Amino acid sequence: MDHITFLVAAVILTALVFDFTNGFHDTANAMATSVATGALRPRYAVLVSGVLNLAGAFLSTEVARTISNGIVSDNLVTPAMVFAGLIGAVLWNLTTWLLGLPSSSSHALFGGLIGAVWVGAGRAGVHFDQVIDKIILPAIASPLVAGLAALLSTTLAYRLTARGRGSSVDRGFRLGQIASASLVSLAHGTNDAQKTMGVITLTLISVGALAPGSGPPLWVIVSAGLTIALGTCLGGWRIIRTMGRGLTDIRAPQGFTAESSSATVILTSAHLGFALSTTQVCSGAILGAGLGRKLAEVRWGVAARIAIAWCVTLPAAAAVGALAAVMVVHGGTIGTVLVALVASSVAAFIVVVSRRHPVTSRNVNDAHTVTLSSDTARAKV
């Protein structure tokens, strides 16, 4: 019983660490275009996003239920497997944040869990039909839908305002962006905070603290909402720069249409229980908005790097989760502590490297490319 108590506590703590990284990793989803167009000041943008992420966490629990009793078998999952899966998700989030790549925190979590459960419980522990229906298909469809909606609405917006004075049009759309960016933040909290709720709920079910099929208790909802809000307030400036300046030259009308399209897709999916990637939705919408304005520069090289990150995220996190599961499942408390120490060391190294060339609210709009120098191990953004 002592071992189970220790492991459950480790899982809950690690789940909240993931939730925190999810917050600052995905701040760009809601605020990148508003920061890029000047609709919101950077610091104010992340503060508003954090508050609305917290509010969104209380709107629905359908996505949490999908995770806690959808993609893996809750009767075969153990806290050790969940812990290992979370390690894979956290390390991938930090790696892609360092590189300034808007990869999917959701797919990092799903990949980590799938890899860890597959190692710990075998193929029967993963519901691959649900993985395809609830994860893979939405991952393909959602950015396309959001991108098409943003493309059409951007084209329409420019046609409707073609005779308007440019400065007045931009000012009006910037005001609109305050509402649309806020709606994306609310939608992000509704979708992404629930993923941590689902992981903690899955752990509690696995040790008999909750009945199978249960939804997240109130304390889980509150803690997940607060943690993702705190992470959001920190500001994921590296990824905000890539999404706001990297994919295309965003102007206020495009920012408004991209945010509105993203919020619609995310809120609809959350209502239906689809645990999609808000990052993919928002990136697709920004790309669509770029294509919707004549003569807008779309940086296909950056888009290709992001697409590669999307494809690699789930298997990469699964590989790390599986490796951690081997240590945790078979190594007991010693294995758990060893994995935690290694993961903490890797995370600390990533943070130290990021400090060499920091991206902050002051320089977030300066450039758009991110590279790592192999000889100096420094991040340039």
Side-chain angles (χ1 to χ4, degrees), residues 47 126 134 165 188 200 343 346:
L47 179 60
V126 181
K134 297 279 188 174
R165 193 168 65 181
H188 182 266
I200 296 176
V346 173

Side-chain angles (χ1 to χ4, degrees), residues 83 85 93-94 119 157 185 219 225-226 230 251 312:
F83 175 77
N93 266 0
L94 290 174
V119 166
S185 294
W219 70 267
L226 284 172
L230 289 173
R251 297 182 182 177
V312 171

Side-chain angles (χ1 to χ4, degrees), residues 229-241:
L230 289 173
T232 302
C233 290
L234 184 66
W237 304 114
R238 291 173 176 273
I239 300 176
I240 288 177
R241 175 180 284 185

Side-chain angles (χ1 to χ4, degrees), residues 283-373:
S283 299
I286 291 172
L287 188 59
L291 293 172
R293 179 169 70 87
K294 290 183 179 179
L295 303 179
E297 178 188 2
V298 176
R299 301 180 182 97
W300 293 107
V302 176
R305 290 176 60 230
I306 293 173
I308 291 172
W310 289 356
C311 295
V312 171
T313 291
L314 197 148
V320 177
L323 181 61
V326 172
M327 299 289 294
V328 174
V329 172
H330 302 292
T333 301
I334 295 176
T336 302
V337 172
L338 182 61
V339 167
L341 290 174
V342 171
S344 299
S345 299
V346 173
F349 174 77
I350 291 173
V351 172
V352 169
V353 170
S354 73
R355 296 296 183 185
R356 302 289 181 85
H357 280 274
V359 182
T360 67
S361 58
R362 298 176 182 176
N363 63 356
V364 67
N365 283 328
D366 287 354
H368 63 265
T369 57
V370 179
T371 58
L372 283 180
S373 173

Side-chain angles (χ1 to χ4, degrees), residues 246-265:
L247 279 172
T248 185
D249 181 19
I250 285 287
R251 297 182 182 177
Q254 297 165 283
F256 175 77
T257 56
E259 291 161 356
S260 300
S261 301
S262 299
T264 301
V265 172

Side-chain angles (χ1 to χ4, degrees), residues 95-342:
T95 300
T96 50
W97 163 75
L98 176 65
L99 296 171
L101 289 173
S103 68
S104 171
S105 295
S106 306
H107 287 185
L109 175 60
F110 300 147
L113 285 176
I114 290 169
V117 172
W118 201 342
V119 166
R123 191 180 185 282
V126 181
H127 298 156
F128 284 100
D129 56 336
Q130 291 295 310
V131 171
I132 294 173
D133 290 343
K134 297 279 188 174
I135 299 175
I136 303 299
L137 292 180
I140 297 172
S142 59
L144 296 177
V145 172
L148 179 61
L151 188 155
L152 295 175
S153 56
T154 300
T155 303
L156 180 61
Y158 274 104
R159 287 185 178 179
L160 291 175
T161 60
R163 296 184 179 180
R165 193 168 65 181
S167 59
S168 298
V169 170
D170 282 347
R171 189 181 307 113
F173 276 111
R174 285 194 188 101
L175 290 174
Q177 277 193 274
I178 297 174
S180 59
S182 298
L183 189 58
V184 176
S185 294
L186 191 70
H188 182 266
T190 303
N191 192 278
D192 279 46
Q194 289 189 60
K195 291 160 190 172
T196 299
M197 298 178 205
V199 168
I200 296 176
T201 302
L202 176 63
T203 303
L204 296 175
I205 291 173
S206 72
V207 296
L210 291 175
S214 297
L218 180 60
W219 70 267
V220 173
I221 297 174
V222 172
S223 60
L226 284 172
T227 304
I228 198 170
L230 289 173
T232 302
C233 290
L234 184 66
W237 304 114
R238 291 173 176 273
I239 300 176
I240 288 177
R241 175 180 284 185
T242 300
M243 290 184 71
R245 293 291 183 183
L247 279 172
T248 185
D249 181 19
I250 285 287
R251 297 182 182 177
Q254 297 165 283
F256 175 77
T257 56
E259 291 161 356
S260 300
S261 301
S262 299
T264 301
V265 172
I266 295 168
L267 287 172
T268 301
S269 69
H271 177 71
L272 296 174
F274 291 114
L276 53 72
S277 166
T278 55
T279 301
Q280 292 182 353
V281 171
C282 294
S283 299
I286 291 172
L287 188 59
L291 293 172
R293 179 169 70 87
K294 290 183 179 179
L295 303 179
E297 178 188 2
V298 176
R299 301 180 182 97
W300 293 107
V302 176
R305 290 176 60 230
I306 293 173
I308 291 172
W310 289 356
C311 295
V312 171
T313 291
L314 197 148
V320 177
L323 181 61
V326 172
M327 299 289 294
V328 174
V329 172
H330 302 292
T333 301
I334 295 176
T336 302
V337 172
L338 182 61
V339 167
L341 290 174
V342 171

